[in-house]
Amino acid sequence: SQTIHQWPATLVQPVGSPLSLECTVEGTSNPNLYWYRQAAGRGLQLLFYSVGIGQISSEVPQNLSASRPQDRQFILSSKKLLLSDSGFYLCAWVLGETQYFGPGTRLLVL
Amino acid sequence: GNSVTQMEGPVTLSEEAFLTINCTYTATGYPSLFWYVQYPGEGLQLLLKATKADDKGSNKGFEATYRKETTSFHLEKGSVQVSDSAVYFCALSDQTWGQFYFGTGTSLTVIP
């Protein structure tokens, strides 16, 4: 069966520090992958999506970037975190017409 | 374009009450429709889905019917439990290129 992993589960980082969040999917190949951010008490904001290795589309211009170095790995990065980057980051993939989500990473920028 | 509008929360109900969370959509094609549930501190879980008009999705006592004539996909449950307390998201899938559109979420609290 297919599963999706995210790590770390929780992260506290100072303003201006770098960021790397990882998402890995098991049990499938060439999935469409997505990064979302959810601010406290808010809905989902699509940040990036990828249809294959090295193929990244950005939905919202900001200080975040994404990369897909391997078929089932999707990485969200930042060179310098802002306070406004705090939130709950969710990775997702698609099977058929349905999107499935990982457990999320809670990021607090202080 | 595509979009989803769902009722504002928060919603507070007593245990065993009837639940309705309204969801309407705008779509250019023939989307699939979904309800996701998010429990505190967790990711989103698929609750139910419907892929064509008049389909009814159901799971764990929750139901929603894909109504093309009213562009709606309202979530219902006849008798809520405390364990149903969560945030519920309505969503649609644009099957043209795999884009998903989410509502803003409705927070439900069920009190004993």
Side-chain angles (χ1 to χ4, degrees), chain A residues 32 34 36 38 41-44 46 49 51 59 88 90 94-104 106, chain B residues 32 34 36 38 40-46 49 51 87 89 93 95 97-105:
Chain A
N32 285 0
Y34 305 75
Y36 290 88
Q38 187 178 26
R42 306 288 295 276
L44 296 173
L46 178 63
Y49 68 93
V51 299
E59 289 294 303
F88 193 45
L90 291 160
V94 170
L95 176 63
E97 76 281 344
T98 304
Q99 196 164 59
Y100 294 93
F101 288 82
R106 188 162 304 282
Chain B
S32 294
F34 307 85
Y36 287 85
Q38 184 180 32
E42 299 183 9
L44 276 69
Q45 300 176 25
L46 177 67
K49 68 179 182 183
T51 58
V87 179
F89 290 90
S93 165
Q95 298 181 50
W97 57 284
Q99 179 62 287
F100 288 77
Y101 301 83
F102 286 84
T104 53

Side-chain angles (χ1 to χ4, degrees), chain B residues 8 11 14 19 24 31 38-39 48 50-51 53 57 60 62 69 72 75 77 85 95 97 103 109:
Chain B
E8 297 277 337
V11 174
S14 297
L19 169 71
T24 57
Q38 184 180 32
Y39 299 102
L48 53 85
T51 58
K60 299 180 180 180
F62 291 89
E69 63 276 13
S72 65
L75 182 68
K77 186 175 185 183
S85 298
Q95 298 181 50
W97 57 284
T109 300

Side-chain angles (χ1 to χ4, degrees), chain B residues 49-97:
Chain B
K49 68 179 182 183
T51 58
K52 60 182 187 299
D54 300 326
D55 269 3
K56 177 185 283 188
S58 61
N59 185 27
K60 299 180 180 180
F62 291 89
E63 292 183 339
T65 301
Y66 190 164
R67 303 283 189 199
K68 195 170 188 298
E69 63 276 13
T70 55
T71 62
S72 65
F73 193 55
H74 304 323
L75 182 68
E76 297 182 335
K77 186 175 185 183
S79 176
V80 294
Q81 306 300 312
V82 172
S83 57
D84 294 326
S85 298
V87 179
Y88 293 82
F89 290 90
C90 184
L92 73 82
S93 165
D94 176 346
Q95 298 181 50
T96 305
W97 57 284

Side-chain angles (χ1 to χ4, degrees), chain B residues 25-42:
Chain B
Y25 68 90
T26 302
T28 53
Y30 300 93
S32 294
L33 301 175
F34 307 85
W35 277 102
Y36 287 85
V37 58
Q38 184 180 32
Y39 299 102
E42 299 183 9

